[in-house]
Amino acid sequence: MTAAQRFERAVSLMHAGEHRASLDIADGLLSENPRDARANLLSARMLHIAGRHAEARRRLDGIAVEGHPERERLENDIRVMREFGLFQEAFPRDAAIGMARARERAPAHLRAGAVADAIAAALRERRGFSLIRIGDGEGAFVSLGAEDEARFAALYAHNRRDRAQIWFGGAVDPNADPWISQARTITDAIAEADIVGLPYPSWLEHEYRIASITGISALTNALRASRATNGHTCTQLIHVELHNAGLIQDLLRGQRTIGLISCHQELTRLLPEAFGIADIEFHHVPGEKGHDHLLPDSATRGEHWPTRYRQIMADLSSRSLHGRLFVVAAGILGKFYCNQIRRAGGVAVDLGSIADGWVGIVSRPGMSADLHLSRTARPSAPPNDPPSDLALGAFVRDILESGSKTALDGSFVAEIGDLVDQHSTRIMAPEEMLAEAYQPDRRRLLDYRCGTGGWRQAIEGMGYAWRGVNYLAGMAEGVRAEARAETGIDFYDGTALPYPDSSFDVVFSFQVFEHVHDPRGALPEIARVLKPGGRLIGSVSYLEQFHDYSTFNFTPYGLKLAAQSAGLRLSRVYPSYDVFTWMGRRLLIVTRSRDDNKLSAMLSRENVIHEEFLKYGARMGHTPAEINLIRLMFSAHFSFLITKPDRGDGSHDADGDASRSR
């Protein structure tokens, strides 16, 4: 294989989330040519993602700039990568994802029903209101002060060029006035909006998995943007949730006249037909240039910024809009329209790509094929990008919609039925269980086989006193050296943990047991170092494919038996990523050698597949426990809470059976 082919293989592995393998190839290329610019940049990128920043800087120092045929471009690429490393040091992976999770747990974070109620109340009271959604595009233009802008100048300029290309093609210089002055006011729009849809944890996880420079930093900045502690937020996917639950349809049916800002003229016919609207005030805007292969010429033709934008803003600011509902689908400029509508007394709802779906165009990964309001055929997807997300969703939906009776294995119900949440279908991730379990007087935590300590910052942020342990022989050489350099990590022989009995209040195990060669031998050691009443919290592979020397996948019942044999008790299990998306995504990676497929965006614990299970359960009249059992049966992973009895007879433990009443 040539050097060029090996480099492309390394890039493919990076996009597939195989960062270690990508780094190994890049470093192999550098062993042959230490000043290879592309290999050094790729190696630095992987090292920054891994938190090995000093090594990454050394890679960048090794790039030969003098005499390079594209010296100016290369110097800029190096500056971007250096600043990406600085950004990663300031906002590492767990901190960024932790911000998203903290927002979701906050009292001010609203579900779809509460958001719909807030919109309806504003319409009844004829007062100004705006719901806007912030993603990587808006996050790229968030401005967090002169010092932050100066520190990450090259990185932010790179991000803004990337996003502006999607919106405007090459028609707008994203780093020059008048555009940049306007775009930076997105921070003000975020602060002023009544409800802001923010990036969700699994989106950030995806961007880290594919090592996206723009995605990681732009989404993190979207979360960093100023928002009052009690300012209402919701998921960035709120437009999809409102539609799937029928809530936006209910709001539209109650309106005699509405405003519409969109690239789709066709909606002025479809919306009245679907919802009985008598009149639509329509403002046409050119659609995103990056979607011109999906949108008709009439939708993308013209110049949105600055000409059309100024015309629409002048109209919206010239009169009172009290009591009028506006549906807005206009990219980043749509957020400014929403803000102006609010100031004029109108009610603005940022529905974004739902407007595409209403005319039968699937413009986003994970979008349902059933959004369309017409019966006209939907355009086919590009030949190299099959609509696998739609096909998969339709496959599961068709099976569930045709179901007439639920038949679960009797032993599964008998053995696991009491271990799922009895009252709620909310999925709890391991880190959420950790946060819930925290007690100031029971805070000593062991991160079991912690690797390089990637969870440390998030766990310490919860208040725990963190300690990590690794099986030395089970680690790759490079990772082993990095782990040795990290304070707070111990090493053991894979058999006896190097701690006295009853040393820890909590043991955390995130996707580890599938890689342990003797899990039944490992659990008694964990039980030994746990204090009475202690907890083992984590997640494990169930229906996942072979990966990274995996040895055993647990069933919930198998984990229950293994825990019992170690003197522990499996107290709670939660479903996780659905197996259909997980396996389909892996099949696409295997057959296409890249991770940028539509199923990657569906990798979340509560995606459209899980929504179909919820709808099926509601139709069948199932209890939350029954729905949870069905979802658990079809999960690639599951999360668990295992407890150590307070006394040897196992009559009581610190699970807190009160937690079952949530």
Side-chain angles (χ1 to χ4, degrees):
M1 188 181 292
T2 67
Q5 289 171 327
R6 288 156 61 199
F7 178 81
E8 292 305 319
R9 175 61 178 161
V11 172
S12 296
L13 288 167
M14 175 186 72
H15 288 154
E18 303 290 344
H19 299 166
R20 164 54 60 183
S22 177
L23 178 60
D24 287 345
I25 293 176
D27 285 353
L29 291 169
L30 291 175
S31 69
E32 301 165 10
N33 181 7
R35 299 178 74 79
D36 183 321
R38 293 199 307 171
N40 270 301
L41 283 166
L42 179 60
S43 179
R45 187 171 179 176
M46 295 295 90
L47 289 166
H48 280 316
I49 288 287
R52 296 160 60 183
H53 304 298
E55 292 177 69
R57 287 189 286 270
R58 287 195 292 272
R59 296 291 191 277
L60 297 175
D61 291 341
I63 297 176
V65 175
E66 293 295 333
H68 194 279
E70 296 182 79
R71 176 173 176 170
E72 185 176 346
R73 179 195 59 77
L74 179 58
E75 287 178 335
N76 183 69
D77 289 345
I78 294 170
R79 283 195 297 271
V80 169
M81 194 61 67
R82 287 191 191 280
E83 291 179 13
F84 178 63
L86 291 174
F87 193 93
Q88 285 292 286
E89 289 187 84
F91 308 101
R93 178 186 186 279
D94 292 339
I97 295 173
M99 281 191 280
R101 288 177 178 141
R103 280 294 189 182
E104 287 193 339
R105 291 194 294 266
H109 193 79
L110 304 180
R111 297 282 183 146
V115 171
D117 289 345
I119 298 169
L123 288 167
R124 284 194 309 271
E125 298 163 15
R126 297 175 61 81
R127 58 177 168 80
F129 175 96
S130 70
L131 162 66
I132 66 173
R133 299 173 304 104
I134 305 300
D136 52 2
E138 293 76 21
F141 288 94
V142 160
S143 182
L144 297 161
E147 182 180 348
D148 187 78
E149 287 284 333
R151 187 180 186 193
F152 303 114
L155 174 64
Y156 291 173
H158 165 272
N159 293 347
R160 290 161 181 168
R161 281 192 298 271
D162 181 79
R163 297 298 91 182
Q165 182 65 31
I166 293 173
W167 287 325
F168 308 118
V172 172
D173 183 345
N175 296 296
D177 281 327
W179 166 257
I180 191 63
S181 294
Q182 174 63 54
R184 284 178 178 175
T185 64
I186 189 64
T187 316
D188 299 327
I190 293 171
E192 291 183 36
D194 295 86
I195 304 176
V196 178
L198 293 175
Y200 41 93
S202 61
W203 190 358
L204 275 158
E205 289 171 354
H206 168 72
E207 297 303 317
Y208 272 97
R209 189 163 50 249
I210 66 173
S212 170
I213 294 173
T214 297
I216 290 169
S217 50
L219 289 181
T220 301
N221 279 353
L223 291 163
R224 293 174 64 205
S226 177
R227 184 83 180 142
T229 304
N230 61 348
H232 284 121
T233 63
C234 61
T235 175
Q236 199 270 353
L237 290 175
I238 189 63
H239 59 322
V240 177
E241 293 188 356
L242 288 171
H243 184 278
N244 288 349
L247 296 170
I248 194 65
Q249 295 91 321
D250 290 343
L251 288 166
L252 287 168
R253 289 188 186 97
Q255 305 305 306
R256 181 181 178 280
T257 180
I258 68 166
L260 171 66
I261 303 177
S262 167
C263 66
H264 298 298
Q265 175 82 36
E266 187 180 358
L267 287 175
T268 60
R269 174 182 61 83
L270 293 175
L271 288 170
E273 290 176 358
F275 304 115
I277 299 166
D279 181 58
I280 293 182
E281 174 189 327
F282 179 59
H283 298 272
H284 179 269
V285 295
E288 293 181 1
K289 304 304 182 184
H291 288 156
D292 57 5
H293 62 295
L294 297 174
L295 303 174
D297 289 342
S298 60
T300 58
R301 190 181 304 123
E303 177 188 76
H304 194 173
W305 170 268
T307 307
R308 187 65 183 131
Y309 171 77
R310 290 171 178 166
Q311 292 170 348
I312 294 173
M313 288 295 281
D315 182 77
L316 294 175
S317 60
S318 67
R319 56 202 165 95
S320 169
L321 301 174
H322 288 288
R324 174 160 301 186
L325 174 65
F326 274 77
V327 172
V328 180
I332 186 174
L333 294 175
K335 322 309 172 184
F336 305 132
Y337 297 142
C338 286
N339 205 27
Q340 180 55 48
I341 291 165
R342 178 185 185 273
R343 291 173 178 174
V347 176
V349 180
D350 175 17
L351 282 188
S353 58
I354 290 296
D356 296 335
W358 277 346
V359 298
I361 294 172
V362 177
S363 61
R364 294 292 190 276
M367 183 185 288
S368 170
D370 291 338
L371 267 64
H372 65 289
L373 299 177
S374 72
R375 296 182 179 275
T376 58
R378 293 180 294 280
S380 59
N384 293 326
D385 194 13
S388 44
D389 55 330
L390 306 180
L392 186 64
F395 168 72
V396 175
R397 181 170 56 254
D398 288 347
I399 293 175
L400 293 174
E401 287 181 348
S402 65
S404 58
K405 186 176 182 180
T406 302
L408 288 174
D409 186 287
S411 63
F412 183 62
V413 175
E415 296 292 342
I416 307 301
D418 290 340
L419 303 183
V420 297
D421 197 317
Q422 306 294 297
H423 304 286
S424 169
T425 57
R426 180 192 172 206
I427 291 177
M428 289 276 280
E431 59 271 23
E432 293 176 296
M433 286 192 280
L434 268 187
E436 187 179 78
Y438 173 75
Q439 298 177 44
D441 60 340
R442 296 181 66 93
R443 56 187 293 267
R444 292 203 65 202
L445 179 143
L446 177 65
D447 193 344
Y448 181 70
R449 298 203 178 188
C450 65
T452 57
W455 280 98
R456 180 173 187 169
Q457 184 172 4
I459 290 171
E460 289 181 335
M462 297 176 193
Y464 287 101
W466 182 91
R467 193 80 191 173
V469 68
N470 282 318
Y471 171 40
L472 191 62
M475 303 184 71
E477 186 62 39
V479 177
R480 186 186 308 174
E482 185 178 351
R484 281 190 178 280
E486 179 74 29
T487 59
I489 296 180
D490 303 310
F491 296 88
Y492 79 120
D493 61 2
T495 303
L497 291 169
Y499 311 108
D501 295 354
S502 302
S503 294
F504 297 97
D505 302 294
V506 178
V507 172
F508 181 61
S509 170
F510 184 80
Q511 297 300 136
V512 167
F513 285 133
E514 64 267 28
H515 302 286
V516 175
H517 290 185
D518 182 19
R520 281 184 174 266
L523 282 166
E525 267 299 283
I526 291 174
R528 181 183 66 78
V529 302
L530 267 178
K531 294 178 182 178
R535 307 182 185 202
L536 167 59
I537 293 172
S539 59
V540 68
S541 293
Y542 173 21
L543 299 175
E544 184 179 3
Q545 307 91 322
F546 173 88
H547 64 286
D548 196 21
Y549 295 99
S550 58
T551 52
F552 297 100
N553 284 18
F554 275 96
T555 68
Y557 179 57
L559 186 60
K560 178 180 179 179
L561 292 181
Q564 286 176 348
S565 68
L568 303 171
R569 181 169 82 92
L570 181 61
S571 300
R572 181 61 62 87
V573 288
Y574 287 94
S576 187
Y577 307 101
D578 75 277
V579 68
F580 305 101
T581 302
W582 199 269
M583 286 194 172
R585 171 183 167 272
R586 181 63 65 86
L587 181 60
L588 284 172
I589 292 171
V590 167
T591 57
R592 300 170 75 187
S593 188
R594 58 187 176 92
D595 189 45
D596 54 337
N597 60 70
K598 291 185 176 181
L599 292 185
S600 293
M602 290 174 61
L603 281 184
S604 61
R605 292 185 174 93
E606 300 195 61
N607 63 5
V608 294
I609 301 294
H610 278 296
E611 287 295 325
E612 294 299 334
F613 279 113
L614 292 177
K615 289 191 285 187
Y616 167 78
R619 179 170 66 83
M620 299 298 292
H622 289 323
T623 65
E626 291 168 330
I627 296 172
N628 289 333
L629 278 172
I630 296 169
R631 292 196 295 174
L632 179 64
M633 179 171 281
F634 297 101
S635 288
H637 303 163
F638 65 89
S639 304
F640 58 81
L641 166 64
I642 293 174
T643 54
K644 179 175 180 177
D646 275 341
R647 299 188 298 273
D649 59 7
S651 60
H652 175 70
D653 58 44
D655 163 29
D657 284 337
S659 68
R660 295 180 183 275
S661 65
R662 286 197 311 276

